[in-house]
Amino acid sequence: MRPLIAGNWKMNGLSSALSEIERLIGLLSGPAAPNCDAVICPPATLLDRCSSKFAGAGVSFGGQDCHAAVSGAHTGDVSAEMLADAGARFVIVGHSERRADYGESDAIVRRKASAGQRAGLTPIICVGETEAERRAGKAEAVVSGQLAGSIPPGGGSFVIAYEPVWAIGTGLTPTIDDIADMHALIRHAVGLDARILYGGSVKPSNAADILRVHHVNGALVGGASLKADDFAAIIRAA
Ligand code: PGA
């Protein structure tokens, strides 16, 4: 399965950040093309410019969230169709920051994932347990429940990102065995077709070890995707 390395820029990046993508593409070009699909999910304000400026340059773009409806009276929201119109190919849905900050339930995440598919995007559906849930021995049950509730009913094309909440932006990562166990559980739940990414404090120093784990088909990278050198090193590790 061809790995997918996706960068989640979160609420970071002004026009000046386009030069960082230019640098990334420079770092990735050369005789040995990377052996994976590389995606950047910039803020929605940069999506159109990114996808026009870097069309065909070997990096795809995605949104970080979408509304479930095609259009309508939803002030401040962006639909999956709008993201696709701006050149997106992917959309992250159900990121733990959205689940926590906006109370997004599995049912909402599922509708957003379906909306992404409707617009021709591949949804990257995020799941993951909190620190308290892991300590209580509930990590597997929580992730199984999120998978059951968040994946579109008809299946279709999607990517899962397993992101333990306590590993996001903290520098902490699960042990390799814990990652392997959770990815095996997810593989069992979603079947053979979907790519399963690991996310949470992926950086150049740990990427190779994580990407080597069975059923880890790539990474969702936050902080380290903002720096061209770090993100290029992670892409090269895949
Ligand atoms: P991080 O974020 O790599 O900065 O931990 C990952 C994410 O939130 O997708």
Side-chain angles (χ1 to χ4, degrees), residues 8 10 95-97 163 167-171 199-202 220-224:
N8 173 13
K10 311 192 180 186
H95 189 280
S96 67
E97 286 152 18
E163 298 202 304
I168 295 176
T170 58
S201 296
V202 175
L220 181 56
V221 184

Side-chain angles (χ1 to χ4, degrees), residues 3 9-10 26-27 39-41 54 56 62 89-90 92 100 112 133 142 144 157 167 179 197-198 224:
W9 278 16
K10 311 192 180 186
L27 290 167
V39 178
I40 291 176
C41 300
F54 303 112
R89 305 248 327 270
F90 294 82
I92 298 169
K112 291 182 174 204
E133 287 163 344
V142 167
S144 298
S157 179
I179 294 175
L197 315 184
Y198 168 79

